[in-house]
Amino acid sequence: MANTPAKKPPAKLLKAPAHKRKIKAVDIVPGWSEKADMVGLSLELACDRDSSLYAQYTIGLHAWLLSQIQITHPALSQRLHDDADEKAFTISGLNGAFTRSSQPLALQSGETYRWRISALSNPVVKWLSRWLTQLPEEIDLRGTILKVQTVELSLPPETYGAIAKLSPPVQSKVSLSFPTPTSFRRKKNHFPLPLPFNLFHSYLRRWNNFAKVSPDSEDFLNWIDRHVVVSRHHIQSQKVAVGKRGSVTGFVGAVELALDATAHQDPAFVIWFYRLAKFAPYCGTGHKTTFGLGQTRLGWQLPAAHKMVAIAPTDALANRIAELTEYFIHQRKRVGGSRAQLISETWATILARREQGDSLIAIAEDLEMNYETVKTYSKLARRAFKE
């Protein structure tokens, strides 16, 4: 499992126009049965002309996918909405060749861009299998049209039961790669380091949401903390504007994890170490995985700069949001508490996006807030900043 490059994705499942191919996914993909609990898809997208994407376009991808679920399976959509902590899916940003322009991201005509979706529960996997038979021809991201060219498997169908029966491999190391910024929440702050405890706490938490069999969480995580070490890493930090408000400092790159000499005194935990590492590419790492953060690959992979998943170009917006958030928190320092933090992040996000030219309507839509409230916050933020 260590230092092993990811296998090349299998042949195309569907070819455009995909929505006209009335073929069940279970007929196309061997082993993709109604019992599968998780799977990964990679959509190849293209635009007919040079276009631009707004900095927080992953909010648009997130909303588009949820709208597809809402249209075709309202009950599942309601379940995902009501239980936000469940996080039964992840998405990536767009991966491909981008050019710099006055806008955060410039898409090139004739280029293709990959977008990954993973499902972590049987209901979502079932929905994906049906959705593939009526896949839309295009994705509209606030006027930028991306046409769906092909769909591939990026991660094979799998079940929690099958992973829970895996035996440990011969290798004593595991390598994980993080093509999009990855971060954890620690004491109400972002923690951008791939410490083994944080990594496996993230995987185990998601595993426990869906699986019937798991190790004792406290004992296992204590074992991780004592016996799993970082034997090699190549990481760098990135600040990104992602999700509905605020900014996140995360890391990208790769890390190699090894077991110390006494780890095998607890063979059951050794097995779970490898099982959860196998689960990691499906569930992602850290927080905001439904907005493109925390994408995870098994193996040591350091992609070329121009092929990095494109969240990094939003650094300028993220830095501005962080700067304004700190300014507003300082103004409200006598108020304190989580409410002051939330209001400061909201004001900062609105003001920073207005500075880069986003409309109040677009901001209100992304933040899922009332337009008049966003308008009022914008005025208050401008006034406070001038003071």
Side-chain angles (χ1 to χ4, degrees), residues 252-266:
V252 294
V255 61
E256 182 182 80
L257 306 174
L259 301 178
D260 70 10
T262 61
H264 288 272
Q265 293 177 4
D266 293 292

Side-chain angles (χ1 to χ4, degrees), residues 215-235:
D216 180 89
S217 296
E218 184 176 355
D219 289 346
F220 175 71
L221 291 174
N222 286 336
W223 177 88
I224 289 286
D225 205 28
R226 291 195 305 268
H227 301 293
V228 180
V229 297
V230 175
S231 55
R232 181 169 62 129
H233 72 81
H234 188 294
I235 61 171

Side-chain angles (χ1 to χ4, degrees), residues 105-293:
L105 288 173
L107 305 176
Q108 302 177 50
S109 175
E111 291 287 342
T112 58
Y113 301 87
R114 291 199 173 271
W115 179 42
R116 291 194 179 208
I117 303 169
S118 70
L120 304 179
S121 72
N122 179 259
V124 179
V125 172
K126 286 181 178 178
W127 175 80
L128 280 176
S129 72
R130 290 161 175 74
W131 181 62
L132 287 177
T133 68
Q134 50 187 350
L135 191 67
E137 288 186 305
E138 61 186 34
I139 299 174
D140 185 345
L141 292 177
R142 200 179 293 166
T144 296
I145 305 300
L146 297 168
K147 295 186 179 298
V148 180
Q149 303 294 304
T150 58
V151 183
E152 300 176 359
L153 271 181
S154 58
L155 296 168
E158 190 59 89
T159 67
Y160 288 97
I163 292 179
K165 294 178 182 178
L166 287 178
S167 298
V170 177
Q171 298 96 330
S172 61
K173 297 180 180 179
V174 163
S175 293
L176 297 169
S177 300
F178 309 93
T180 64
T182 302
S183 184
F184 307 95
R185 291 295 290 174
R186 182 180 181 185
K187 298 180 180 179
K188 299 182 180 181
N189 293 302
H190 303 299
F191 187 74
L193 289 173
L195 299 184
F197 180 92
N198 296 92
L199 294 171
F200 282 85
H201 179 270
S202 172
Y203 306 146
L204 184 59
R205 178 165 48 85
R206 286 175 171 80
W207 176 275
N208 286 338
N209 280 334
F210 307 105
K212 296 179 180 179
V213 179
S214 64
D216 180 89
S217 296
E218 184 176 355
D219 289 346
F220 175 71
L221 291 174
N222 286 336
W223 177 88
I224 289 286
D225 205 28
R226 291 195 305 268
H227 301 293
V228 180
V229 297
V230 175
S231 55
R232 181 169 62 129
H233 72 81
H234 188 294
I235 61 171
Q236 64 184 52
S237 62
Q238 285 186 4
K239 187 182 290 291
V240 292
V242 71
K244 296 175 183 177
R245 57 178 61 83
S247 61
V248 174
T249 298
F251 62 88
V252 294
V255 61
E256 182 182 80
L257 306 174
L259 301 178
D260 70 10
T262 61
H264 288 272
Q265 293 177 4
D266 293 292
F269 288 158
V270 171
I271 295 174
W272 278 105
F273 168 72
Y274 291 107
R275 289 170 180 169
L276 292 176
K278 181 177 177 61
F279 177 56
Y282 292 92
C283 69
T285 303
H287 66 151
K288 296 188 183 294
T289 54
T290 59
F291 289 96
L293 294 193

